[in-house]
Amino acid sequence: MVVEAPIYTIKNAHLSFGLNPVFSGVDLYINRGDKICLIGRNGSGKSTLLKVIAQEIEPDGAEFFIQPGVRVGYMPQEPIFDGFQTLRQVVEAGLPATEKDQTYRADQLIEYLSIAENQSPETASGGERRKAALARALIAEPDILLLDEPTNHLDIETIEKLEDILIKFKGALIVISHDRSFLEHISQTTFWLDRGILRRNNKGFKYFEDWQDQVIEQEIIEQKALNKKIAEETEWLHKGVTARRKRNMGRLRRLQQLRQERREQIKAMGSVNMEIETPDLRSKMVIEAKHIYKKFAAREIVKDFSIRVIRGHKLGIVGPNGSGKTTLIKLLTKRLEPDSGFVRIGKNLQEAYFDQNRITLDPKKTLWKTLCNEGDHIWVRGHFRHVVAYLKDFLFKPDQAQCPVSALSGGEKNRLMLAVALAKPSNFLVLDEPTNDLDMDTLDLLQEVLAEYEGTVLIVSHDRDFMDKVATSLLYMKGDGSVYEHVGTYTELLQKLKNTPIKAEKKVVAKTEAKVKEKNKTLKLSYKEKYLLETIPAELEKLEQENKAIEISLSNPNLYTDDPLKFDELSSKLAENKAKIDELENQWLEIQTKADEIA
């Protein structure tokens, strides 16, 4: 068997910015046809490494080898369009100097991606600019294609077209993205950049989380074997990420319950007389819209749409770019009046609005001052939190608290903006494209925060995996003014729109149903498991109540100075209780999963 040599190799690459090392000792090779996803936390240096591969940045030291004639195409996270009058010019700029006459390639990409070719880059939407940047990288038909967050601002239709292009692409690919579904569909190899070290796994993103857990577990074992204290960052990384991941099952069960409640609400509302409302529904009402209609010029954006949003509902708004999702949010939050119909807002609503274009960060301020201009505690969702502890919740290291905002990466700035938005007192949260440029760990964190958030949430996002795990129901906007509510996952909605079966696996389930039943005849819960299934919830409730009392005591800003021993004792007890809660939750979930299998 003949093994083909890599077409691109980098050996012993290292790079520092000032005194801060970004990565060291990086070795990588790219084979023809590789489909690689580059994974890492915000600020880990993913975009910087991609620029090194693209030879946009020169490392402090490295050995490069590129096979003669190999072309590299690169789309940065923030493409620059200076000097271009139209998006067509942007696309054609990607043609090599010797192939400038082959403009038919531009015609093909512009038509396939539906690019508004005559629009100026200055006035074009984020989605149109992103499509033009993608076409500019693709038009040269490169041997290696480097894409940094290609799905940002793209609607689901364009993302699926991009997936089709990349799956059929014969060259090598390295892509940075936060979109789990996108990465699962297109990747066959994973690069993981973690604390300056690049690791390679010859499997796609689908297997990343299991591999990540194995690597960290092995690292902890090795450090213990060397009789060293486990680094705080490693322990924090491992416990934080895996604990959130293990709780995913519990969160999804709760979400399924909410979706069932929403179905019942829709039935109840559909049968209620418009004039005589049921007291329960009226008291829980957050938004009520009846027969709203809105158009701009001759174009109908929303027509004859009615909805009642109940407290605790997490409503996702999806649809193609330009279909009117932001307009609908403005109508439902009364920032914009409908041409006809009306919108009522519930009483005592405290709104927090997250939009990357609305929240501005002062680059000269530290992260500490950005969140807490005076003192060292902030009030977050009902209790005081120390600013450093709150920053750690959003995956910032303690020593970053005094760093200026200007030192953060693009993804870290978005993470900080999210922390600012979620720190505001609110019972009504509006999130417009919250997932752009966030790393996987931050997305897990955001899902957990939203699962625990007791208020009402409106979310606009094209991220299928995120919406599947967060939204109670979805409003789908086709672009012709119609708005359709779907109670279920985004994935199910897309399959319904395509008129395809929800999952091919259902056929497999049908074929193996007899085997499963036979297996379950011999499978049953032990007495101990039944006892734990019944008693763990009460124990969890007791620990959570105890933690609330401890957090109230710790929120006293004078406790540390007045009684440091008590502060340490309470802090240790709080950490101990949280660890116990995690352990009990996981134990309960395992038994409950087994019980579900039996049932």
Side-chain angles (χ1 to χ4, degrees):
M1 179 180 176
V2 178
V3 179
E4 188 179 355
I7 58 174
Y8 194 134
T9 304
I10 298 178
K11 290 184 178 179
N12 196 28
H14 53 276
L15 177 66
S16 297
F17 292 142
L19 298 174
N20 300 316
V22 181
F23 50 77
S24 60
V26 164
D27 295 328
L28 66 85
Y29 60 89
I30 304 169
N31 294 316
R32 197 176 300 277
D34 273 350
K35 298 290 189 293
I36 302 166
C37 61
L38 176 54
I39 305 299
R41 192 169 268 178
N42 288 146
S44 62
K46 300 188 301 296
S47 293
T48 302
L49 179 58
L50 210 64
K51 287 177 181 176
V52 168
I53 298 170
Q55 299 191 337
E56 297 276 320
I57 290 179
E58 186 176 346
D60 299 332
E63 293 179 36
F64 288 83
F65 173 75
I66 307 176
Q67 283 191 12
V70 167
R71 289 181 180 177
V72 179
Y74 170 57
M75 190 203 78
Q77 190 171 341
E78 296 296 338
I80 297 172
F81 299 101
D82 295 346
F84 296 109
Q85 301 301 312
T86 65
L87 293 179
R88 183 179 186 87
Q89 290 179 5
V90 172
V91 177
E92 290 182 347
L95 283 167
T98 57
E99 301 169 12
K100 290 295 183 184
D101 59 332
Q102 298 186 25
T103 55
Y104 70 90
R105 296 190 207 165
D107 296 334
Q108 291 172 339
L109 287 166
I110 286 168
E111 181 181 1
Y112 186 68
L113 294 174
S114 304
I115 298 171
E117 59 180 314
N118 296 318
Q119 194 163 6
S120 165
E122 291 184 4
T123 58
S125 67
E128 289 296 334
R129 289 162 62 91
R130 184 68 52 169
K131 288 191 288 186
L134 280 166
R136 179 170 62 180
L138 288 162
I139 196 171
E141 298 177 349
D143 300 285
I144 301 173
L145 180 61
L146 310 174
L147 302 177
D148 196 346
E149 293 289 1
T151 64
N152 276 2
H153 308 293
L154 297 185
D155 57 33
I156 191 64
E157 182 181 354
T158 309
I159 290 172
E160 289 180 337
K161 286 181 179 179
L162 177 60
E163 286 176 359
D164 188 56
I165 290 172
L166 298 181
I167 289 168
K168 294 176 181 176
F169 181 62
K170 293 181 180 178
L173 168 72
I174 302 182
V175 61
I176 298 170
S177 178
H178 64 272
D179 188 323
R180 282 180 164 89
S181 296
F182 174 73
L183 292 181
E184 286 183 3
H185 290 157
I186 59 98
S187 68
Q188 297 167 351
T189 301
T190 304
F191 284 176
W192 177 25
L193 185 59
D194 174 43
R195 291 161 286 165
I197 299 169
L198 185 70
R199 297 178 173 90
R200 178 184 180 117
N201 185 30
N202 292 321
K203 290 183 178 179
F205 177 75
K206 185 186 295 185
Y207 304 95
F208 170 68
E209 291 182 347
D210 290 339
W211 174 52
Q212 180 188 36
D213 287 344
Q214 289 169 10
V215 170
I216 295 173
E217 288 284 5
Q218 184 60 35
E219 186 176 326
I220 290 172
I221 291 167
E222 288 172 1
Q223 288 177 337
K224 283 183 175 179
L226 292 170
N227 208 17
K228 291 181 179 179
K229 180 185 175 185
I230 298 171
E232 181 183 345
E233 185 180 348
T234 306
E235 189 173 15
W236 167 51
L237 171 75
H238 177 64
K239 288 185 177 177
V241 173
T242 56
R244 275 193 297 277
R245 199 173 290 148
K246 284 175 182 176
R247 287 196 292 268
N248 279 348
M249 193 181 297
R251 295 207 307 266
L252 288 175
R253 278 210 182 90
R254 173 62 182 148
L255 185 56
Q256 288 165 358
Q257 289 174 358
L258 288 172
R259 284 176 179 150
Q260 185 56 40
E261 287 173 15
R262 181 60 184 169
R263 291 186 186 97
E264 297 302 322
Q265 288 166 1
I266 291 172
K267 288 179 187 176
M269 287 184 242
S271 63
V272 171
N273 186 293
M274 286 291 186
E275 303 302 322
I276 307 171
E277 308 280 357
T278 64
D280 185 50
L281 287 179
R282 182 176 283 280
S283 65
K284 292 182 179 180
M285 201 73 68
V286 174
I287 299 172
E288 181 179 27
K290 287 187 181 178
H291 306 296
I292 59 173
Y293 178 86
K294 186 69 183 178
K295 73 173 183 176
F296 294 123
R299 186 180 165 215
E300 294 178 313
I301 308 297
V302 178
K303 57 184 181 184
D304 194 25
F305 174 60
S306 300
I307 192 171
R308 292 167 179 167
V309 181
I310 306 300
R311 188 172 66 245
H313 187 30
K314 296 172 177 65
L315 182 66
I317 303 178
V318 298
N321 282 339
S323 59
K325 298 185 294 294
T326 300
T327 300
L328 182 58
I329 275 189
K330 289 179 179 178
L331 289 167
L332 294 178
T333 57
K334 300 209 72 173
R335 285 176 170 79
L336 188 66
E337 288 297 321
D339 298 335
S340 61
F342 68 87
V343 176
R344 288 196 190 105
I345 299 291
K347 295 179 181 178
N348 304 318
L349 279 189
Q350 289 180 292
E351 181 190 290
Y353 199 115
F354 175 82
D355 177 351
Q356 293 174 5
N357 299 319
R358 287 172 179 267
I359 297 177
T360 55
L361 300 173
D362 184 344
K364 295 178 183 178
K365 274 189 172 182
T366 63
L367 277 66
W368 185 304
K369 290 294 184 183
T370 299
L371 283 166
C372 183
N373 208 33
E374 294 181 2
D376 55 8
H377 281 73
I378 53 175
W379 183 258
V380 181
R381 293 189 292 279
H383 58 273
F384 279 106
R385 296 291 309 281
H386 193 281
V387 65
V388 174
Y390 185 63
L391 281 168
K392 283 183 73 174
D393 283 352
F394 285 84
L395 311 179
F396 290 103
K397 301 173 191 174
D399 57 9
Q400 286 182 285
Q402 298 297 347
C403 289
V405 170
S406 59
L408 300 179
S409 68
E412 285 176 316
K413 287 176 182 174
N414 287 342
R415 196 194 303 160
L416 181 60
M417 287 192 289
L418 199 60
V420 171
L422 294 173
K424 294 177 180 176
S426 71
N427 53 21
F428 182 40
L429 191 58
V430 182
L431 302 173
D432 197 350
E433 290 291 357
T435 64
N436 283 352
D437 301 323
L438 296 181
D439 57 36
M440 305 294 178
D441 293 344
T442 311
L443 286 172
D444 281 344
L445 171 70
L446 180 56
Q447 288 169 20
E448 183 166 299
V449 169
L450 294 180
E452 294 173 354
Y453 186 72
E454 294 180 356
T456 306
V457 187
L458 288 184
I459 317 164
V460 174
S461 178
H462 298 293
D463 189 317
R464 289 158 288 184
D465 183 80
F466 179 76
M467 292 296 254
D468 281 353
K469 293 175 180 175
V470 168
T472 309
S473 69
L474 301 166
L475 296 181
Y476 173 69
M477 303 186 73
K478 186 177 179 181
D480 59 0
S482 60
V483 184
Y484 161 72
E485 183 170 9
H486 167 77
V487 182
T489 69
Y490 196 3
T491 302
E492 290 168 348
L493 172 62
L494 291 171
Q495 288 162 336
K496 188 174 183 179
L497 293 169
K498 292 175 184 176
N499 198 26
T500 59
I502 288 180
K503 276 199 176 182
E505 287 84 4
K506 287 200 172 181
K507 294 178 183 177
V508 179
V509 170
K511 289 178 183 178
T512 60
E513 190 175 327
K515 290 182 181 179
V516 172
K517 284 182 178 178
E518 185 63 31
K519 178 187 172 184
N520 287 347
K521 283 179 183 177
T522 59
L523 189 66
K524 62 179 183 178
L525 293 182
S526 67
Y527 174 80
K528 182 180 178 182
E529 286 172 328
K530 289 178 182 177
Y531 175 78
L532 289 172
L533 198 61
E534 293 173 359
T535 59
I536 284 177
E539 196 170 348
L540 285 171
E541 178 67 23
K542 182 182 175 183
L543 286 168
E544 284 166 358
Q545 291 299 326
E546 188 176 345
N547 278 0
K548 284 180 182 178
I550 293 172
E551 285 171 348
I552 291 170
S553 299
L554 288 174
S555 68
N556 178 0
N558 299 319
L559 179 62
Y560 181 77
T561 52
D562 293 347
D563 193 345
L565 288 175
K566 185 176 180 183
F567 180 88
D568 289 342
E569 182 185 333
L570 289 174
S571 297
S572 297
K573 184 62 177 174
L574 184 64
E576 182 186 324
N577 282 357
K578 285 182 176 179
K580 183 66 175 174
I581 287 172
D582 279 347
E583 183 185 336
L584 288 172
E585 280 182 341
N586 293 332
Q587 189 177 16
W588 186 88
L589 282 172
E590 287 172 8
I591 300 170
Q592 183 61 54
T593 302
K594 184 177 177 181
D596 290 345
E597 288 174 1
I598 294 168

